[in-house]
Amino acid sequence: MSPSLRSSSPAAPSPDPGADPGWEPRDPTLPAPRAGTRRRAPLPRRLLRAALALFLLGGVVLAGAFAAGYLLVDIPAANAAAVAQSNLYLYRDGTVLARDGEVNRENVRLERVPLAVRRAVLAAEDRDFHTSRAVDPKAMVRAAWNTVTGKGRQSGSTITQQYVKNYYLGQEQTLTRKAKEFFIAIKLEREKTKDEILQGYLNTSYFGRNAYGVQAAAHAYYGKDVERLGPAEGAYLAALLKAPSAYDVTTRPENRPAVLARWGYVLDGMVGEGWLTPRERAALRFPDPQAARAATGLSGQRGYLVQAVEEHLASRGILDEKTLAGGGFRIVTTIDPARQAALVRAVEDRVTHRLDPAANPADRYVRAGAVAVEPATGRVVALYGGIDYTEQYVNNATRRDYQVGSTFKPFVLTAAVQSGARTQYGEPITPYTLYDGTDRRPVEGWPGAPYDPANEDGESYGEIPVGTATDLSVNAVYAQMAVDVGPAHVRRTAVALGLPAATPDLTASPSIALGPATASVLDMAQAYATLAAHGRRGEHTLVAAVTRDGEPLPLPSGEPRQVVGREAADTTTAVLRSVVASGTGTAALGAGRPAAGKTGTAEDDKAAWFAGYTPELATVVALMGQDPESGAHEPLYGALGLPRVNGGGPPAEIWARFTREALGNAPVRDFDLHLMPGAELPEVPPVPDDTDGERESEQDWYGTGEAGPEAKPARPGKRAPRRD
């Protein structure tokens, strides 16, 4: 080949790494890359790029949403709650029960509110109000997280947001309302000063007792203008903002520890912010508010009924307190006007008209509460809260600060049958099981501290059947039975029947059988109605319908459910029939119908109870002792001219008169009972001739629940009826 031909061939380029700094020799052992392909970045780098892109896109979307919301949401006119209406309450037949009157509000300028009171509100609700923005996104996210994770519902709202909610929007818990609140608060901060916003908040906030605004609250709780309030009083009003009804110590004395804790939290916050010195804080004492005064038109029992209905609506989540106070609601209750009137007449006849405080000082202490429930439906048909709502504001039917005493004992028996419990000696517990009823007998099988309860009047009974021990309310027997069943199971059974799990002193120990728990009359009526309904519990209700502007509000279904077995409930009913027939509750025979019931007395005779039922109606009545001036619980010794007031006396008499009138001419129904094995009347063995005339019949012998001719105790069926 000629040199010229060789020179015309394209020469292979000589590698020159220096000519291209990015060039690198290719590994000859690797296959050559395809033409037109690109090398891909490592996976972590690609993920980082995708995340960054999503973050930027999210930021753009959020910015757009914020801009759109800010432009679209305007500051509206005042809402209905800011110009609230009355609520209308109706009996179940549609007749008017009560109107709750106009909202109590008096606006004041911020200058009239003492600085200490303003600071107390800030310490309670928004300590950074003057230095922070109108909204606090971090607090909102934290509150939402705490709510979702079960740490308690929290709003995360600043005072500005709360003012927007109170004045411009409403109390509904929706995302739409929260979004509007967010943007209105931002705009409002641009148009109003911090002082203007705080003034509006203080004038629109709800403090309970139908008081809107701090001036109305000052009069409602302390009977004076707001400018005369001191730091301690201001701290209490600030504490009320969290839960007005729950923190009103005059109507909820059982919540006093929680109120004091909240009051202390407010004052400690003021110290932390430098608004109060530690010495000033230490010198302050809790300023008890004055007794609440009823609204016009709520005299007699009407106020108690309205109060109970409002508490029911709030506790069931149907309407919160602030929304309801805004007014405009038409509420049909379950109260039967005829039965309500009958209950009032029964209390007046057996108690109120017999009181003579001038001649008998102990009569000053007498308070009465009563509730009647239909077992089949759970509807509360009558409620007696006190002598008059305008004179005695505390509702005796719903308060939870008096011991229920021996009216708790049937829950122990129900738990025993439900669980198939046995004695310490392995014998199944039935109405005929023998127990040692010796006074101050230490309970066996309890790993805790020694416990040896006293019987009434220190009386001992020796061996005694469960049925007779129930008739005579023998503490030694029931404390031991509670241990045999298991106090925790007894507690679970009481809650299943209808007592709230949070009932004070509902403690799983042997003493639970003696009734130290302080359930309300309404709570006990629910539980006894469950027994009357053969163990099926329909949540008690005071409300049949709620509408606003013609639109109905949804109500909980409350479908009955079997919470204890029928045999357990019916066996308890059979034993409680004996209490009425021949035990401590014979006064209930005045109803003229088959009845079951139990008497009870609180420690030191500070309350006396009768809880009873027919197949159609369960009613609980309690008399309570309370000093009208100090509010202290007092014994009922000497009241109504009686040495001692017990459940088998006036409470059972009220029950009998009311039940007789409430059921009227309705056909008499007997109980349809399915008893546990061994609870039926046993076969009667041959009985020798009754030469001494003491034993009237075989039925009488077994009706007393005696173990037999060899039984050691005297014949309990022949004992005179006695208190428990």
Side-chain angles (χ1 to χ4, degrees):
M1 183 177 294
S2 65
S4 61
L5 291 175
R6 287 195 299 270
S7 63
S8 63
S9 301
S14 300
D16 185 5
D20 183 0
W23 182 90
E24 292 181 4
R26 185 176 65 84
D27 187 343
T29 64
L30 298 176
R34 297 179 184 178
T37 60
R38 297 177 56 189
R39 298 181 63 188
R40 301 182 65 185
L43 180 60
R45 185 179 299 175
R46 295 200 306 274
L47 292 176
L48 180 61
R49 289 174 180 171
L52 180 60
L54 288 174
F55 178 81
L56 293 175
L57 178 61
V60 171
V61 171
L62 287 176
F66 181 87
Y70 189 84
L71 293 173
L72 294 174
V73 178
D74 293 322
I75 299 177
N79 66 7
V83 191
Q85 309 171 59
S86 299
N87 291 316
L88 178 64
Y89 296 83
L90 306 172
Y91 287 108
R92 65 192 294 180
D93 64 357
T95 56
V96 175
L97 190 163
R99 293 180 186 271
D100 64 359
E102 296 298 326
V103 170
N104 177 21
R105 178 189 284 116
E106 180 184 354
N107 291 339
V108 294
R109 297 187 61 82
L110 190 63
E111 300 93 299
R112 288 186 59 187
V113 183
L115 183 59
V117 176
R118 283 181 259 165
R119 286 174 167 174
V121 171
L122 296 179
E125 299 295 314
D126 188 358
R127 297 176 185 179
D128 299 323
F129 170 74
H130 284 292
T131 58
S132 62
R133 307 293 297 177
V135 296
D136 185 351
K138 290 183 179 179
M140 294 174 68
V141 171
R142 181 174 61 250
W145 175 254
N146 288 339
T147 300
V148 170
T149 56
K151 296 180 180 178
R153 176 175 292 181
Q154 299 178 14
S155 68
S157 299
T158 63
I159 277 183
T160 304
Q161 289 174 275
Q162 292 184 55
Y163 171 51
V164 168
K165 178 177 64 174
N166 291 342
Y167 193 74
Y168 297 104
L169 299 175
Q171 306 296 325
E172 63 271 20
Q173 296 291 330
T174 65
L175 291 176
T176 301
R177 198 270 294 162
K178 291 295 291 184
K180 289 181 179 179
E181 175 186 301
F182 182 89
F183 291 110
I184 294 172
I186 293 174
K187 286 190 173 184
L188 195 67
E189 189 178 51
R190 294 177 179 271
E191 297 186 10
K192 293 191 176 185
T193 66
K194 289 284 189 180
D195 282 350
E196 288 174 328
I197 293 172
L198 181 58
Q199 175 179 293
Y201 175 77
L202 291 173
N203 282 323
T204 57
S205 293
Y206 183 62
F207 291 82
R209 297 192 182 183
N210 199 35
Y212 277 87
V214 68
Q215 167 71 350
H219 276 278
Y221 289 91
Y222 294 109
K224 54 188 174 184
D225 289 328
V226 65
E227 51 260 57
R228 295 174 55 200
L229 294 177
E233 296 163 327
Y236 177 62
L237 295 187
L240 286 167
L241 290 168
K242 183 178 181 181
S245 291
Y247 288 168
D248 189 338
V249 292
T250 64
T251 60
R252 283 287 177 269
E254 69 271 21
N255 290 348
R256 190 177 184 87
V259 174
L260 293 176
R262 181 67 179 172
W263 179 73
Y265 165 83
V266 175
L267 292 176
D268 292 340
M270 295 177 70
V271 173
E273 295 296 324
W275 298 333
L276 201 65
T277 67
R279 177 175 294 181
E280 291 170 335
R281 161 71 174 90
L284 295 178
R285 297 292 178 267
F286 182 73
D288 280 294
Q290 65 185 11
R293 293 172 293 180
T296 305
L298 298 181
S299 61
Q301 296 302 305
R302 292 192 296 271
Y304 298 120
L305 293 170
V306 169
Q307 185 187 71
V309 168
E310 291 180 347
E311 292 174 0
H312 178 84
L313 291 170
S315 65
R316 297 296 173 86
I318 301 168
L319 278 174
D320 68 78
E321 186 177 359
K322 293 182 181 179
T323 301
L324 180 62
F329 292 95
R330 180 184 178 90
I331 301 165
V332 181
T333 73
T334 59
I335 301 297
D336 182 326
R339 289 177 170 177
Q340 176 67 26
L343 183 57
V344 172
R345 285 192 293 270
V347 175
E348 289 176 346
D349 177 60
R350 307 312 302 170
V351 174
T352 308
H353 291 167
R354 298 184 175 190
L355 296 175
D356 187 3
N360 185 14
D363 285 353
R364 296 172 54 247
Y365 300 147
V366 178
R367 303 286 182 268
V371 174
V373 177
E374 290 178 343
T377 64
R379 291 183 298 203
V380 177
V381 296
L383 180 149
Y384 184 92
I387 188 170
D388 190 312
Y389 186 71
T390 61
E391 300 177 22
Q392 192 178 296
Y393 187 75
V394 177
N395 193 333
N396 296 321
T398 59
R399 65 192 299 173
R400 293 190 177 108
D401 57 336
Y402 281 87
Q403 294 178 344
V404 302
S406 291
T407 55
F408 192 93
K409 285 187 170 80
F411 308 154
V412 182
L413 179 57
T414 303
V417 180
Q418 175 73 14
S419 63
R422 293 176 175 268
T423 69
Q424 296 289 308
Y425 306 101
E427 299 172 354
I429 298 176
T430 76
Y432 299 99
T433 302
L434 293 176
Y435 271 91
D436 186 347
T438 302
D439 182 53
R440 305 307 300 245
R441 174 188 177 275
V443 297
E444 299 177 3
W446 173 243
Y451 185 62
D452 55 344
N455 293 331
E456 183 65 34
D457 297 329
E459 190 161 356
S460 292
Y461 299 89
E463 285 192 337
I464 185 172
V466 168
T468 309
T470 309
D471 290 349
L472 303 177
S473 211
V474 181
N475 291 337
V477 170
Y478 266 87
Q480 182 62 60
M481 195 191 308
V483 173
D484 295 344
V485 176
H489 186 67
V490 172
R491 186 185 189 280
R492 286 193 297 270
T493 301
V495 171
L497 290 171
L499 267 61
T503 300
D505 295 321
L506 187 61
T507 305
S509 67
S511 66
I512 192 173
L514 279 58
T518 57
S520 71
V521 175
L522 179 57
D523 297 334
M524 295 298 288
Q526 160 82 79
Y528 272 73
T530 304
L531 292 174
H534 311 291
R536 287 180 62 79
R537 173 180 168 185
E539 292 293 339
H540 77 267
T541 180
L542 279 153
V543 177
V546 181
T547 58
R548 191 180 197 186
D549 298 327
E551 293 295 323
L553 273 65
L555 300 177
S557 62
E559 286 296 321
R561 65 190 190 280
Q562 197 78 37
V563 295
V564 298
R566 177 163 184 169
E567 284 187 354
D570 286 1
T571 299
T572 301
T573 296
V575 172
L576 296 185
R577 291 195 65 182
S578 176
V579 173
V580 173
S582 58
T584 58
T586 54
L589 293 172
R593 290 176 177 266
K598 184 71 185 75
T599 57
T601 307
E603 189 175 6
D604 297 328
D605 284 26
K606 292 179 180 178
W609 298 69
F610 184 78
Y613 51 94
T614 67
E616 309 93 336
L617 197 60
T619 306
V620 176
V621 182
L623 296 190
M624 308 160 185
Q626 183 175 23
D627 189 306
E629 297 176 0
S630 68
H633 293 191
E634 295 290 346
L636 290 171
Y637 298 126
L640 296 165
L642 301 171
R644 303 166 93 177
V645 177
N646 58 75
E653 294 168 4
I654 292 170
W655 186 93
R657 166 158 179 163
F658 165 70
T659 302
R660 182 176 66 248
E661 188 172 347
L663 297 180
N665 296 322
V668 175
R669 287 176 54 192
D670 203 349
F671 291 97
D672 177 21
L673 303 179
H674 296 180
L675 305 183
M676 69 175 294
E680 302 87 353
L681 195 67
E683 292 185 7
V684 181
V687 180
D689 291 338
D690 189 6
T691 55
D692 59 4
E694 289 187 357
R695 179 168 293 142
E696 291 83 350
S697 68
E698 297 169 353
Q699 175 66 33
D700 175 62
W701 175 37
Y702 275 102
T704 66
E706 277 195 77
E710 298 81 20
K712 297 179 181 178
R715 298 174 59 227
K718 284 297 182 180
R719 296 183 187 275
R722 44 188 309 286
R723 66 187 301 279
D724 55 340

